[in-house]
Amino acid sequence: MGLLTILKKMKQKEKEIRLLMLGLDNAGKTTILKRFIGEDINKIEPTLGFNIQTLEHRGFKLNVWDIGDSADKWRLDDCKTELHQLLQEERLAGATLLVFANKQDLPGALSGGELRQELDLDSIRSHHWHIQWCSAVSGEKLLDGIDWIIADIASRIFTLE
Ligand code: GDP
């Protein structure tokens, strides 16, 4: 195999991005995913185990892992602890973090700013992070979040273009 072929293969491989979706039960992870791939959001069954979807966006192949939550209802404080612990995980070194503040169409929803405080995002120095308000039901601002995460990953990793 020539060098060019190897580089081409690497390039193809590197164009794949793995996104792991984690969040509170009922936060809207499956709805975000369905909305993004254009599936009917009114037909959502509770996620059992996990659900992997592959989609193409801006020339990138995104493998999105939507992990079904267990029955325990995590509270926001637990969520903060889990998030900060997760970021210390060696295998997530170099990962980019996007937080969706979903359900902004609902009056009681925590705003992006409030969630940023609740999750103590400002203390994160080890990873690139961004918080995006959105509504999976209206679809508003979802793409802004996805575009940000792709741009961030692409600018750091895909240097062969
Ligand atoms: P998951 O457990 O995180 O996968 O949450 P689901 O995607 O199953 O959504 C849980 C519930 O929240 C469903 O009834 C959705 O229709 C609803 N939901 C999800 N996103 C939004 C949103 O942006 N706005 C509103 N009003 N409801 C939402």
Side-chain angles (χ1 to χ4, degrees), residues 24-85:
L24 293 172
D25 199 10
N26 240 21
K29 298 176 297 299
T30 309
T31 313
I32 289 176
L33 194 51
K34 294 234 169 186
R35 161 70 66 185
F36 198 58
I37 57 178
E39 275 186 20
D40 187 352
I41 62 166
N42 295 312
K43 288 193 200 132
I44 294 179
E45 311 270 313
T47 311
L48 297 173
F50 59 90
N51 173 12
I52 306 176
Q53 296 280 357
T54 299
L55 46 124
E56 304 265 342
H57 185 62
R58 301 203 191 282
F60 291 95
K61 187 170 166 191
L62 308 178
N63 297 315
V64 187
W65 296 60
D66 169 13
I67 310 288
D69 299 301
S70 63
D72 11 353
K73 303 264 176 205
W74 290 357
R75 289 166 313 139
L76 221 47
D77 207 40
D78 297 330
C79 208
K80 174 174 84 177
T81 311
E82 283 292 328
L83 173 65
H84 288 268
Q85 274 176 7

